[in-house]
Amino acid sequence: MSAPTFQAAPWSAAVVADAVAATLDRAAEHGLPRAVADVARANGVSPVSITEWMTLARTDEAPVPPDLLSCRACGHGMILIQHPGGALLYLCAPSCARAPVPAESIRAAVAAVVLHRTPHLVPAGRTTQAALYAAGPIHRISVGATATDLRLTWRTVPRQLDGRLATMPQRLDRARRYADGGDRTRAIDVLRVGLMHINPARDKLAADLATASAAALLAALTLADRDALAALPWARWAHRSLRHLLRSHTHVEVRAALRIVAATERDTGDLTAAANAYSDLIRHHSSTEGPDALPTLAAQAALAHVLQQAGDCEAAQQLLARTITTHRRAHPWHPASTPMMQALDRMHTTCVDQDHSHPHRPAHNVGPPPCTTAEPAADRTGYCSDQRRPRRPHRHADAGTTGRRQPTEG
Ligand SMILES: [Zn+2]
Ligand SMILES: [Zn+2]
Protein backbone atom coordinates (compact mmCIF):
# COMPACT_ATOMS: atom_id res chain seq x y z
CA MET A 1 0.00 0.00 0.00
CA SER A 2 1.39 3.40 -0.90
CA ALA A 3 1.74 6.06 1.78
CA PRO A 4 -1.35 8.29 2.05
CA THR A 5 -0.97 11.81 0.73
CA PHE A 6 -2.65 14.51 2.76
CA GLN A 7 -4.43 17.37 1.06
CA ALA A 8 -3.49 20.84 2.10
CA ALA A 9 -5.74 22.64 4.62
CA PRO A 10 -7.98 24.58 4.94
CA TRP A 11 -10.99 22.33 4.78
CA SER A 12 -14.46 23.40 3.90
CA ALA A 13 -17.01 23.24 6.72
CA ALA A 14 -18.91 20.53 4.85
CA VAL A 15 -15.83 18.30 4.57
CA VAL A 16 -15.26 18.60 8.32
CA ALA A 17 -18.92 17.90 9.14
CA ASP A 18 -19.03 14.88 6.85
CA ALA A 19 -15.78 13.50 8.30
CA VAL A 20 -17.07 13.90 11.87
CA ALA A 21 -20.34 12.17 10.99
CA ALA A 22 -18.48 9.32 9.27
CA THR A 23 -16.10 8.92 12.24
CA LEU A 24 -18.93 8.83 14.78
CA ASP A 25 -20.75 6.30 12.65
CA ARG A 26 -17.72 4.05 12.25
CA ALA A 27 -16.58 4.41 15.89
CA ALA A 28 -19.83 2.84 17.07
CA GLU A 29 -18.83 -0.40 15.35
CA HIS A 30 -15.02 -0.44 15.32
CA GLY A 31 -13.95 1.84 18.17
CA LEU A 32 -12.59 5.34 17.90
CA PRO A 33 -8.89 4.80 17.02
CA ARG A 34 -9.74 2.62 14.05
CA ALA A 35 -12.59 4.93 12.96
CA VAL A 36 -10.23 7.93 12.98
CA ALA A 37 -7.61 6.01 10.98
CA ASP A 38 -10.16 4.72 8.44
CA VAL A 39 -11.86 8.07 7.85
CA ALA A 40 -8.49 9.84 7.64
CA ARG A 41 -7.31 7.39 4.97
CA ALA A 42 -10.60 7.48 3.03
CA ASN A 43 -10.60 11.29 2.90
CA GLY A 44 -6.88 11.89 2.49
CA VAL A 45 -6.84 13.86 5.75
CA SER A 46 -4.29 13.60 8.55
CA PRO A 47 -5.55 11.55 11.56
CA VAL A 48 -4.47 14.46 13.76
CA SER A 49 -6.97 16.73 11.97
CA ILE A 50 -9.78 14.19 12.34
CA THR A 51 -9.02 13.87 16.06
CA GLU A 52 -9.06 17.66 16.47
CA TRP A 53 -12.39 17.93 14.65
CA MET A 54 -13.88 15.15 16.75
CA THR A 55 -12.67 16.70 19.99
CA LEU A 56 -14.26 20.05 19.16
CA ALA A 57 -17.46 18.50 17.82
CA ARG A 58 -18.04 16.62 21.07
CA THR A 59 -16.78 19.10 23.65
CA ASP A 60 -18.92 19.64 26.72
CA GLU A 61 -17.75 23.23 26.63
CA ALA A 62 -19.58 24.10 23.41
CA PRO A 63 -21.28 27.53 23.26
CA VAL A 64 -24.62 25.69 23.49
CA PRO A 65 -24.89 22.29 25.28
CA PRO A 66 -24.24 19.38 22.90
CA ASP A 67 -27.23 17.59 21.35
CA LEU A 68 -29.64 20.54 21.66
CA LEU A 69 -29.30 21.93 18.12
CA SER A 70 -30.76 20.31 15.00
CA CYS A 71 -30.85 21.40 11.37
CA ARG A 72 -34.37 22.32 10.25
CA ALA A 73 -33.61 21.34 6.66
CA CYS A 74 -32.45 17.76 7.26
CA GLY A 75 -33.15 17.00 10.93
CA HIS A 76 -29.56 15.99 11.71
CA GLY A 77 -27.93 17.24 14.89
CA MET A 78 -25.60 20.18 14.43
CA ILE A 79 -21.95 20.03 15.38
CA LEU A 80 -19.38 22.61 16.29
CA ILE A 81 -16.59 23.21 13.81
CA GLN A 82 -13.81 25.75 13.62
CA HIS A 83 -13.39 27.83 10.48
CA PRO A 84 -9.74 28.12 9.34
CA GLY A 85 -10.06 31.83 10.16
CA GLY A 86 -10.76 30.89 13.80
CA ALA A 87 -14.51 31.48 14.00
CA LEU A 88 -16.66 28.75 15.57
CA LEU A 89 -19.54 27.60 13.39
CA TYR A 90 -22.39 25.14 13.65
CA LEU A 91 -23.19 22.86 10.74
CA CYS A 92 -25.32 19.73 10.49
CA ALA A 93 -23.46 16.45 10.13
CA PRO A 94 -23.44 14.98 7.58
CA SER A 95 -23.95 18.31 5.89
CA CYS A 96 -27.14 18.79 3.84
CA ALA A 97 -25.54 21.65 1.87
CA ARG A 98 -27.03 24.33 4.12
CA ALA A 99 -24.89 27.32 5.13
CA PRO A 100 -23.08 27.08 8.48
CA VAL A 101 -24.19 29.54 11.20
CA PRO A 102 -21.89 31.45 13.56
CA ALA A 103 -21.79 29.72 16.96
CA GLU A 104 -21.53 33.02 18.82
CA SER A 105 -24.80 34.28 17.30
CA ILE A 106 -26.64 31.11 18.34
CA ARG A 107 -25.12 31.26 21.82
CA ALA A 108 -26.22 34.88 22.28
CA ALA A 109 -29.76 34.14 21.07
CA VAL A 110 -30.11 31.09 23.33
CA ALA A 111 -28.65 32.92 26.33
CA ALA A 112 -31.09 35.80 25.84
CA VAL A 113 -34.10 33.52 25.70
CA VAL A 114 -32.98 31.47 28.75
CA LEU A 115 -32.46 34.63 30.80
CA HIS A 116 -35.79 36.03 29.64
CA ARG A 117 -37.95 32.97 30.22
CA THR A 118 -36.17 30.92 32.94
CA PRO A 119 -33.83 33.32 34.77
CA HIS A 120 -34.30 31.33 37.99
CA LEU A 121 -32.46 28.37 36.44
CA VAL A 122 -29.25 30.37 35.99
CA PRO A 123 -27.18 30.61 39.20
CA ALA A 124 -26.18 34.04 40.45
CA GLY A 125 -22.94 35.19 38.87
CA ARG A 126 -23.34 32.90 35.86
CA THR A 127 -25.51 35.07 33.61
CA THR A 128 -22.72 35.39 31.04
CA GLN A 129 -22.87 31.58 30.71
CA ALA A 130 -26.68 31.46 30.56
CA ALA A 131 -26.66 29.42 27.32
CA LEU A 132 -24.93 26.55 29.15
CA TYR A 133 -28.08 26.15 31.26
CA ALA A 134 -30.32 25.75 28.21
CA ALA A 135 -30.38 21.95 28.56
CA GLY A 136 -32.48 22.34 31.73
CA PRO A 137 -35.58 24.05 30.27
CA ILE A 138 -35.14 23.43 26.51
CA HIS A 139 -35.65 20.08 24.80
CA ARG A 140 -34.66 20.94 21.23
CA ILE A 141 -33.58 23.94 19.16
CA SER A 142 -34.30 23.74 15.45
CA VAL A 143 -31.97 26.00 13.47
CA GLY A 144 -33.32 27.61 10.29
CA ALA A 145 -31.40 29.44 7.61
CA THR A 146 -29.85 31.98 9.98
CA ALA A 147 -28.75 32.13 13.61
CA THR A 148 -31.79 34.20 14.54
CA ASP A 149 -34.25 31.78 12.92
CA LEU A 150 -34.50 29.42 15.90
CA ARG A 151 -37.52 27.33 16.96
CA LEU A 152 -37.37 26.20 20.55
CA THR A 153 -39.16 23.23 22.06
CA TRP A 154 -39.50 23.78 25.80
CA ARG A 155 -39.74 21.01 28.34
CA THR A 156 -42.99 21.00 30.31
CA VAL A 157 -40.94 20.38 33.45
CA PRO A 158 -37.35 21.68 33.36
CA ARG A 159 -34.83 18.88 33.63
CA GLN A 160 -32.95 19.07 36.89
CA LEU A 161 -29.33 19.89 36.23
CA ASP A 162 -28.08 18.14 39.32
CA GLY A 163 -26.99 20.32 42.22
CA ARG A 164 -26.69 23.64 40.39
CA LEU A 165 -26.11 25.56 43.60
CA ALA A 166 -23.77 23.12 45.32
CA THR A 167 -20.22 24.16 46.13
CA MET A 168 -17.43 22.28 44.38
CA PRO A 169 -16.41 20.21 47.46
CA GLN A 170 -20.09 19.22 47.97
CA ARG A 171 -20.38 18.36 44.30
CA LEU A 172 -17.19 16.29 44.35
CA ASP A 173 -18.41 14.40 47.41
CA ARG A 174 -21.80 13.74 45.80
CA ALA A 175 -20.20 12.59 42.54
CA ARG A 176 -17.93 10.17 44.41
CA ARG A 177 -20.91 8.69 46.21
CA TYR A 178 -22.80 8.23 42.91
CA ALA A 179 -19.72 6.67 41.30
CA ASP A 180 -19.11 4.35 44.26
CA GLY A 181 -22.76 3.31 44.09
CA GLY A 182 -22.39 2.43 40.39
CA ASP A 183 -24.34 5.41 39.02
CA ARG A 184 -21.67 6.75 36.69
CA THR A 185 -24.09 8.76 34.55
CA ARG A 186 -25.36 10.74 37.51
CA ALA A 187 -21.83 11.26 38.82
CA ILE A 188 -20.75 12.65 35.44
CA ASP A 189 -23.79 14.97 35.33
CA VAL A 190 -22.98 16.41 38.75
CA LEU A 191 -19.38 17.11 37.75
CA ARG A 192 -20.19 18.48 34.29
CA VAL A 193 -22.62 21.01 35.66
CA GLY A 194 -20.06 22.17 38.21
CA LEU A 195 -17.31 22.46 35.61
CA MET A 196 -19.45 24.12 32.94
CA HIS A 197 -17.69 27.44 33.25
CA ILE A 198 -14.30 25.87 32.51
CA ASN A 199 -12.82 25.08 29.12
CA PRO A 200 -9.99 22.64 29.89
CA ALA A 201 -8.49 23.10 26.43
CA ARG A 202 -8.06 26.84 26.84
CA ASP A 203 -8.44 27.91 30.46
CA LYS A 204 -5.75 28.53 32.99
CA LEU A 205 -5.21 26.04 35.81
CA ALA A 206 -7.79 25.31 38.50
CA ALA A 207 -7.84 27.78 41.36
CA ASP A 208 -8.61 25.19 44.05
CA LEU A 209 -8.04 21.51 44.81
CA ALA A 210 -11.72 20.54 44.74
CA THR A 211 -12.11 21.82 41.17
CA ALA A 212 -8.93 20.06 40.02
CA SER A 213 -10.00 16.82 41.72
CA ALA A 214 -13.47 17.12 40.19
CA ALA A 215 -11.89 17.42 36.75
CA ALA A 216 -9.73 14.34 37.42
CA LEU A 217 -12.79 12.35 38.49
CA LEU A 218 -14.76 13.56 35.46
CA ALA A 219 -11.90 12.39 33.21
CA ALA A 220 -11.75 8.98 34.89
CA LEU A 221 -15.52 8.44 34.65
CA THR A 222 -15.67 9.66 31.05
CA LEU A 223 -12.83 7.29 30.17
CA ALA A 224 -14.72 4.45 31.86
CA ASP A 225 -17.62 5.40 29.58
CA ARG A 226 -15.23 4.69 26.68
CA ASP A 227 -15.14 8.30 25.52
CA ALA A 228 -11.40 8.91 25.64
CA LEU A 229 -11.53 11.96 23.36
CA ALA A 230 -13.88 13.78 25.71
CA ALA A 231 -11.86 12.65 28.74
CA LEU A 232 -8.46 13.77 27.44
CA PRO A 233 -8.66 17.58 27.92
CA TRP A 234 -10.05 17.08 31.44
CA ALA A 235 -7.36 14.54 32.32
CA ARG A 236 -4.54 16.82 31.17
CA TRP A 237 -6.02 19.93 32.80
CA ALA A 238 -6.59 18.10 36.11
CA HIS A 239 -3.04 16.72 36.16
CA ARG A 240 -1.47 20.11 35.38
CA SER A 241 -3.69 21.82 37.96
CA LEU A 242 -2.98 19.32 40.75
CA ARG A 243 0.75 19.40 40.05
CA HIS A 244 0.67 23.17 40.32
CA LEU A 245 -1.58 23.38 43.40
CA LEU A 246 0.25 20.64 45.33
CA ARG A 247 3.66 21.80 44.08
CA SER A 248 4.74 18.22 43.50
CA HIS A 249 5.15 15.68 40.72
CA THR A 250 4.96 12.78 43.16
CA HIS A 251 2.05 13.61 45.51
CA VAL A 252 -0.30 10.63 45.52
CA GLU A 253 -3.13 12.63 43.95
CA VAL A 254 -0.84 13.99 41.22
CA ARG A 255 0.32 10.47 40.39
CA ALA A 256 -3.30 9.28 40.30
CA ALA A 257 -4.11 12.06 37.83
CA LEU A 258 -1.09 11.16 35.68
CA ARG A 259 -2.30 7.57 35.56
CA ILE A 260 -5.62 8.82 34.14
CA VAL A 261 -3.73 10.89 31.55
CA ALA A 262 -1.68 7.85 30.50
CA ALA A 263 -4.70 5.56 30.18
CA THR A 264 -6.63 8.22 28.27
CA GLU A 265 -3.76 8.85 25.83
CA ARG A 266 -3.57 5.09 25.27
CA ASP A 267 -7.30 4.85 24.54
CA THR A 268 -7.21 7.76 22.08
CA GLY A 269 -4.53 5.82 20.19
CA ASP A 270 -1.71 8.31 20.83
CA LEU A 271 0.77 5.62 21.84
CA THR A 272 3.82 7.89 21.94
CA ALA A 273 2.12 10.22 24.43
CA ALA A 274 0.86 7.21 26.40
CA ALA A 275 4.36 5.68 26.59
CA ASN A 276 5.80 8.99 27.79
CA ALA A 277 3.10 9.36 30.45
CA TYR A 278 3.55 5.78 31.71
CA SER A 279 7.35 6.26 31.80
CA ASP A 280 6.91 9.40 33.93
CA LEU A 281 4.47 7.53 36.15
CA ILE A 282 6.91 4.64 36.67
CA ARG A 283 9.61 7.12 37.65
CA HIS A 284 7.38 8.95 40.14
CA HIS A 285 5.96 5.74 41.68
CA SER A 286 9.45 4.32 41.92
CA SER A 287 10.92 7.37 43.65
CA THR A 288 8.12 7.52 46.25
CA GLU A 289 7.06 3.90 46.82
CA GLY A 290 10.03 1.98 45.49
CA PRO A 291 10.79 0.05 42.31
CA ASP A 292 9.11 -3.13 43.64
CA ALA A 293 5.87 -1.47 44.81
CA LEU A 294 2.61 -2.64 43.24
CA PRO A 295 1.75 0.73 41.61
CA THR A 296 5.21 0.83 39.99
CA LEU A 297 4.83 -2.69 38.63
CA ALA A 298 1.26 -2.03 37.43
CA ALA A 299 2.49 1.02 35.49
CA GLN A 300 5.32 -1.06 33.99
CA ALA A 301 2.85 -3.71 32.84
CA ALA A 302 0.67 -0.99 31.30
CA LEU A 303 3.69 0.49 29.50
CA ALA A 304 4.55 -2.96 28.16
CA HIS A 305 1.06 -3.20 26.61
CA VAL A 306 1.47 0.23 25.02
CA LEU A 307 4.86 -0.76 23.57
CA GLN A 308 3.33 -3.93 22.17
CA GLN A 309 0.46 -1.94 20.63
CA ALA A 310 3.01 0.40 19.09
CA GLY A 311 4.77 -2.57 17.48
CA ASP A 312 7.83 -2.62 19.74
CA CYS A 313 7.28 -6.27 20.70
CA GLU A 314 10.83 -6.85 21.89
CA ALA A 315 10.87 -4.01 24.42
CA ALA A 316 7.33 -4.89 25.49
CA GLN A 317 8.15 -8.51 26.24
CA GLN A 318 11.38 -7.71 28.05
CA LEU A 319 9.67 -5.14 30.21
CA LEU A 320 6.72 -7.38 31.04
CA ALA A 321 8.98 -10.37 31.80
CA ARG A 322 11.09 -8.30 34.17
CA THR A 323 7.96 -6.91 35.78
CA ILE A 324 6.62 -10.43 36.38
CA THR A 325 9.93 -11.56 37.89
CA THR A 326 10.02 -8.61 40.30
CA HIS A 327 6.33 -9.03 41.08
CA ARG A 328 6.68 -12.71 41.95
CA ARG A 329 9.70 -12.03 44.13
CA ALA A 330 8.25 -8.99 45.98
CA HIS A 331 4.57 -10.03 46.12
CA PRO A 332 4.52 -13.84 45.88
CA TRP A 333 0.85 -14.19 46.84
CA HIS A 334 -0.54 -11.30 44.82
CA PRO A 335 -3.07 -12.42 42.16
CA ALA A 336 -1.89 -9.99 39.44
CA SER A 337 1.00 -12.20 38.33
CA THR A 338 -1.29 -14.74 36.60
CA PRO A 339 -2.96 -12.22 34.22
CA MET A 340 0.46 -10.69 33.53
CA MET A 341 1.86 -14.11 32.56
CA GLN A 342 -1.16 -14.73 30.35
CA ALA A 343 -0.59 -11.35 28.70
CA LEU A 344 3.06 -12.25 28.09
CA ASP A 345 1.98 -15.52 26.50
CA ARG A 346 -0.39 -13.64 24.21
CA MET A 347 2.42 -11.27 23.19
CA HIS A 348 4.60 -14.25 22.19
CA THR A 349 1.72 -15.89 20.35
CA THR A 350 1.06 -12.70 18.39
CA CYS A 351 4.71 -12.53 17.32
CA VAL A 352 4.76 -16.15 16.23
CA ASP A 353 1.35 -16.03 14.53
CA GLN A 354 2.14 -12.86 12.64
CA ASP A 355 5.63 -14.07 11.80
CA HIS A 356 7.27 -10.84 12.92
CA SER A 357 10.77 -10.38 11.58
CA HIS A 358 12.11 -8.28 14.46
CA PRO A 359 14.75 -9.95 16.64
CA HIS A 360 13.67 -11.24 20.05
CA ARG A 361 15.30 -12.10 23.31
CA PRO A 362 13.79 -14.82 25.47
CA ALA A 363 11.35 -13.46 28.02
CA HIS A 364 13.02 -15.42 30.80
CA ASN A 365 16.23 -13.58 30.10
CA VAL A 366 15.66 -11.24 32.98
CA GLY A 367 17.17 -7.84 32.50
CA PRO A 368 18.34 -5.10 34.81
CA PRO A 369 16.11 -3.68 37.53
CA PRO A 370 13.92 -0.66 36.74
CA CYS A 371 15.56 2.73 36.78
CA THR A 372 15.05 4.34 40.15
CA THR A 373 16.92 7.57 39.58
CA ALA A 374 15.05 10.83 39.36
CA GLU A 375 16.27 11.35 35.80
CA PRO A 376 13.89 10.51 32.96
CA ALA A 377 14.72 7.27 31.21
CA ALA A 378 16.35 8.27 27.97
CA ASP A 379 14.53 5.65 25.94
CA ARG A 380 11.17 6.22 27.68
CA THR A 381 10.81 2.57 28.64
CA GLY A 382 11.30 3.16 32.33
CA TYR A 383 14.84 1.81 32.32
CA CYS A 384 18.12 3.69 32.50
CA SER A 385 19.66 3.74 29.08
CA ASP A 386 23.01 2.64 30.46
CA GLN A 387 21.37 -0.49 31.87
CA ARG A 388 20.24 -1.69 28.47
CA ARG A 389 21.99 -4.66 27.01
CA PRO A 390 22.96 -4.98 23.37
CA ARG A 391 20.41 -6.79 21.25
CA ARG A 392 20.95 -10.47 20.62
CA PRO A 393 18.84 -11.88 17.81
CA HIS A 394 17.24 -15.23 18.57
CA ARG A 395 14.48 -17.39 17.25
CA HIS A 396 10.85 -16.96 18.33
CA ALA A 397 10.94 -20.57 19.58
CA ASP A 398 13.27 -19.36 22.34
CA ALA A 399 10.35 -17.49 23.81
CA GLY A 400 8.38 -20.66 24.52
CA THR A 401 6.91 -21.44 27.89
CA THR A 402 9.75 -23.60 29.16
CA GLY A 403 11.99 -21.65 31.42
CA ARG A 404 9.91 -18.47 31.50
CA ARG A 405 7.81 -19.76 34.34
CA GLN A 406 10.88 -20.64 36.38
CA PRO A 407 11.32 -18.13 39.19
CA THR A 408 14.28 -15.99 38.34
CA GLU A 409 16.12 -13.55 40.48
CA GLY A 410 16.24 -10.16 38.71
ZN1 LIG B 1 -28.95 19.92 7.47
ZN1 LIG C 1 6.59 -9.30 17.53
Side-chain angles (χ1 to χ4, degrees), residues 344-370:
L344 187 57
D345 274 342
R346 282 196 299 275
M347 285 183 183
H348 285 297
T349 306
T350 304
C351 284
V352 173
D353 288 353
Q354 298 182 359
D355 201 18
H356 290 178
S357 57
H358 54 76
H360 281 267
R361 294 190 308 177
H364 58 268
N365 180 3
V366 174

Side-chain angles (χ1 to χ4, degrees), residues 44-252:
V45 180
S46 132
V48 173
S49 296
I50 301 277
T51 302
E52 277 173 10
W53 298 345
M54 287 291 292
T55 303
L56 182 63
R58 299 200 302 172
T59 178
D60 293 329
E61 304 307 314
V64 177
D67 303 329
L68 267 190
L69 302 175
S70 65
C71 168
R72 196 173 308 152
C74 69
H76 289 136
M78 300 192 76
I79 59 153
L80 189 61
I81 57 184
Q82 185 152 30
H83 191 267
L88 290 172
L89 306 169
Y90 276 106
L91 185 59
C92 52
S95 166
C96 67
R98 63 160 297 146
V101 286
E104 174 53 28
S105 309
I106 294 192
R107 188 203 62 76
V110 171
V113 82
V114 166
L115 284 172
H116 175 71
R117 183 147 161 184
T118 54
H120 56 287
L121 296 180
V122 182
R126 294 268 180 89
T127 51
T128 53
Q129 284 109 25
L132 295 179
Y133 293 83
I138 298 174
H139 174 64
R140 200 82 183 145
I141 301 173
S142 157
V143 183
T146 67
T148 50
D149 181 13
L150 305 179
R151 278 187 208 148
L152 279 64
T153 311
W154 295 84
R155 295 178 185 276
T156 25
V157 179
R159 192 176 68 165
Q160 179 65 34
L161 296 177
D162 204 329
R164 276 178 305 112
L165 301 177
T167 65
M168 193 57 88
Q170 288 170 337
R171 194 180 292 283
L172 181 59
D173 183 55
R174 191 177 306 163
R176 280 182 179 140
R177 275 188 280 117
Y178 284 141
D180 290 346
D183 193 347
R184 195 158 65 213
T185 305
R186 196 120 189 246
I188 288 175
D189 273 354
V190 170
L191 295 168
R192 273 189 180 153
V193 173
L195 294 167
M196 264 178 180
H197 58 296
I198 290 164
N199 181 338
R202 283 198 285 268
D203 283 5
K204 286 181 290 195
L205 303 179
D208 60 277
L209 275 177
T211 302
S213 301
L217 182 57
L218 177 59
L221 296 171
T222 308
L223 181 65
D225 258 359
R226 306 176 73 82
D227 195 349
L229 272 184
L232 188 57
W234 287 114
R236 287 177 175 160
W237 187 78
H239 177 241
R240 283 200 313 273
S241 296
L242 287 166
R243 207 175 53 198
H244 172 75
L245 290 165
L246 295 166
R247 302 192 181 287
S248 163
H249 286 265
T250 54
H251 186 284
V252 64

